[in-house]
Amino acid sequence: TKTKQTPAERHWVLTSLLFFLGWVFMYADRTILSPVQGVIRDEFMLTNAEVGLISSVFFIIYTAVQIPSGLMGDKWGRTKLICIGFLIFGCATALTGLVTTFAMLLAVRLLAGFGEGFYYGPQYAVSSDSTPAQYRTMSFAIINSGQAAGISLGLIGSSYISFELGLGWRTTFWLYALPTILIGLAIYFFIKEG
């Protein structure tokens, strides 16, 4: 006979879906820059080294924040920390569309990397703790596929919105910011820790 799943056992599906969407928008928000780098280089009259610095400051801070974010999540609550991170990098994504100088662009990309650094460790801790052992492989496959989906959404969306629709490079950043913030709030309100 088939045993009925408890609400806790069914909760892994919602957790997996929301964390999948978390990775989608993390990767989308970081890759929307790639198709429009040439336009940004021309607008701000940047050298190749300066264009490379835009991504470098993002990834340096993103990597540096991951270890303390794991410790902070254990102390103050993982989903709370994830939500704060999403609010930070969602706002930084929107602010990227408003920059008027190269220094401002570096600052908001650094801020985006800082916010995204709060996701990696706490997300894996929550998903491991809240997913029954028999569903972990499926859950992690769903969650991690968000990365590839996000890269596609970022590259295709940025190219299409900026060039095909002719809305300019800034519009993509504004359009992606809102769902990013909403995903962070959904993770906080709907995912139970442990």
Side-chain angles (χ1 to χ4, degrees):
T1 61
K2 198 171 184 180
T3 59
K4 191 173 180 184
Q5 287 183 329
T6 66
E9 289 175 321
R10 290 191 302 270
H11 185 70
W12 74 270
V13 176
L14 178 62
T15 299
S16 300
L17 178 62
L18 287 175
F19 282 151
F20 162 81
L21 291 172
W23 281 117
V24 166
F25 281 96
M26 280 192 63
Y27 271 77
D29 288 2
R30 72 173 68 160
T31 57
I32 56 179
L33 185 64
S34 295
V36 296
Q37 282 181 346
V39 176
I40 291 172
R41 176 192 348 238
D42 294 343
E43 182 173 330
F44 293 103
M45 296 180 288
L46 305 178
T47 65
N48 288 337
E50 289 170 328
V51 171
L53 189 59
I54 297 167
S55 293
S56 295
V57 297
F58 171 90
F59 283 108
I60 289 168
I61 194 72
Y62 169 70
T63 303
V65 169
Q66 288 181 19
I67 292 173
S69 74
L71 297 171
M72 292 164 64
D74 291 341
K75 185 173 182 178
W76 295 311
R78 295 168 182 150
T79 56
K80 182 189 297 180
L81 194 67
I82 290 169
C83 181
I84 291 168
F86 267 75
L87 295 175
I88 291 170
F89 90 79
C91 289
T93 299
L95 290 173
T96 303
L98 298 173
V99 298
T100 56
T101 67
F102 177 59
M104 289 172 67
L105 182 57
L106 287 179
V108 296
R109 296 318 292 164
L110 187 139
L111 188 61
F114 178 77
E116 287 195 23
F118 288 128
Y119 191 60
Y120 192 90
Q123 180 267 299
Y124 281 111
V126 173
S127 59
S128 294
D129 289 348
S130 63
T131 305
Q134 68 267 32
Y135 301 118
R136 279 197 193 128
T137 303
M138 175 63 78
S139 175
F140 292 168
I142 293 167
I143 292 168
N144 289 333
S145 64
Q147 297 169 11
I151 291 169
S152 300
L153 179 65
L155 294 175
I156 295 168
S158 182
S159 298
Y160 185 74
I161 293 165
S162 302
F163 303 118
E164 293 296 317
L165 296 179
L167 297 176
W169 68 269
R170 297 171 186 273
T171 304
T172 309
F173 287 90
W174 298 329
L175 291 176
Y176 281 39
L178 180 60
T180 298
I181 291 168
L182 293 176
I183 292 301
L185 292 170
I187 288 170
Y188 178 72
F189 287 111
F190 296 112
I191 292 181
K192 300 178 187 89
E193 292 189 44

